[in-house]
Amino acid sequence: MSSSLERVPASLIAEAEATADAADARGGIHTRPADPSELGGVLARFEATWGEGRGPDRSMLQALEHAGNTVLVAVPATEWADAPTQWPDAAAEPTASGDTPLGATLGFLGWTGGLHLHSHMNAVDPGARGRGIGVALKLRQRAVCLAHGVTEMRWTYDPLIRRNAHLNLVRLGAEVDRFLPDFYGELRDAITGADRSDRFEVLWRLDSRRTARAIARRPVPEWRAEGGLALVADYERVRAEDPEVAARLRDASREAFAALADGRGLRAELDANGDYVFTRDDPDREAP
């Protein structure tokens, strides 16, 4: 794992940009850096997802954007298509004042374990879900990172939410790096509520064979399992309707995930049913 900037081939940078552009086209959107005038809309998108006051404040977001971190937005493709050609940089032209973007993401540089972008927040308008906007924002972050010589991204997710596990491990090709019990403490936000904030940290090797396989939608190999954990189809619904059942599922997951830190070299992957399997297989292997 690198601890410094990489010399990324121009061909890979071009591929990443083309991949991000294609994801935009599929979703009918345009992903790009937020203009400083749009930061209020970015905050509104974050607060609509996690609750008021649950994201960075305006001044912190301004500082992160000013320093060059990835504060990206997804806007309707029509806003991009209608951009006047006389703008010096049409991609940076802001949306109308006060508009809330369809999606927004925030990432900042870190160096624990090697230089990487920590992708901290990724929010999408519920009315626009199903269009691949969250994926498009991640792919745009990947393109930005590679253009700046950064070849790894990291983030955390709730390991019991199956759709997020599939997005991260299968659709994008990220890998579970470690289990972080109660990582954020008591959140009490609009998503987690009183549930414990257990998280998997994933690393996304942006120039790996695994990532290339995932982006190309090639088949995922059948992982050789040495344990695992079955997931319920909709943990968020269980948590909302029966917190006691959710708490028992959380307890069971902690017991299962202990196998990932017992020195046997096991990693968590998803099988064809969307359940976790613990394996020692090479993460870059291809399906036969």
Side-chain angles (χ1 to χ4, degrees):
M1 186 181 302
S2 173
S3 60
S4 61
L5 295 177
E6 298 282 355
R7 189 179 297 276
V8 178
S11 59
L12 180 58
I13 296 171
E15 173 275 318
E17 291 173 347
T19 298
D21 290 345
D24 282 4
R26 287 192 297 270
I29 58 170
H30 181 62
T31 55
R32 55 165 175 75
D35 185 85
S37 67
E38 296 175 300
L39 296 183
V42 172
L43 289 175
R45 176 54 57 218
F46 291 157
E47 291 191 340
T49 301
W50 286 282
E52 186 175 354
R54 296 296 178 173
D57 63 21
R58 178 65 172 71
S59 62
M60 177 61 74
L61 196 62
Q62 175 73 48
L64 290 167
E65 186 278 333
H66 179 74
N69 289 283
T70 55
V71 183
L72 308 181
V73 293
V75 299
T78 51
E79 294 184 10
W80 167 244
D82 294 340
T85 56
Q86 66 267 27
W87 287 340
D89 183 0
E93 181 64 17
T95 56
S97 178
D99 283 359
T100 301
L102 294 174
T105 192
L106 166 64
F108 44 83
L109 288 178
W111 48 77
T112 299
L115 184 70
H116 63 277
L117 183 91
H118 182 83
S119 184
H120 184 53
M121 306 181 86
N122 194 22
V124 175
D125 182 347
R129 288 177 185 164
R131 292 165 52 180
I133 295 175
V135 170
L137 285 164
K138 287 289 194 196
L139 291 174
R140 186 64 63 190
Q141 276 187 312
R142 173 177 179 255
V144 171
C145 284
L146 289 172
H148 287 83
V150 178
T151 58
E152 184 178 294
M153 286 172 55
R154 290 176 176 262
W155 61 89
T156 64
Y157 78 95
D158 186 334
L160 296 189
I161 300 179
R162 178 181 271 174
R163 60 183 173 82
N164 287 350
H166 183 272
L167 166 67
N168 295 329
L169 306 187
V170 178
R171 181 65 184 87
L172 295 174
E175 305 158 55
V176 174
D177 186 50
R178 54 179 170 165
F179 174 57
L180 302 169
D182 211 19
F183 181 57
Y184 294 108
E186 188 175 275
L187 286 171
R188 295 282 177 179
D189 61 18
I191 293 178
T192 306
D195 194 8
R196 286 163 285 178
S197 59
D198 292 355
R199 295 291 185 267
F200 271 162
E201 181 179 32
V202 298
L203 64 90
W204 194 19
R205 293 178 291 125
L206 306 180
D207 55 354
S208 68
R209 287 182 295 145
R210 176 187 177 94
T211 295
R213 183 196 72 215
I215 289 174
R217 309 299 286 269
R218 295 198 296 270
V220 176
E222 183 176 345
W223 305 105
R224 290 167 289 198
E226 299 181 40
L229 177 72
L231 295 176
V232 296
D234 191 347
Y235 176 76
E236 290 169 296
R237 180 176 179 179
V238 172
R239 180 166 58 191
E241 295 180 354
D242 197 333
E244 291 186 4
V245 171
R248 290 197 292 272
L249 291 171
R250 185 70 71 187
D251 288 339
S253 72
R254 285 188 171 187
E255 293 181 13
F257 297 150
L260 303 177
D262 65 2
R264 289 188 291 159
L266 293 174
R267 306 179 300 101
E269 294 282 3
L270 283 187
D271 64 16
N273 296 319
D275 296 320
Y276 286 118
V277 294
F278 303 155
T279 184
R280 277 188 273 239
D281 285 349
D282 180 352
D284 285 325
R285 66 182 284 242
E286 297 274 355

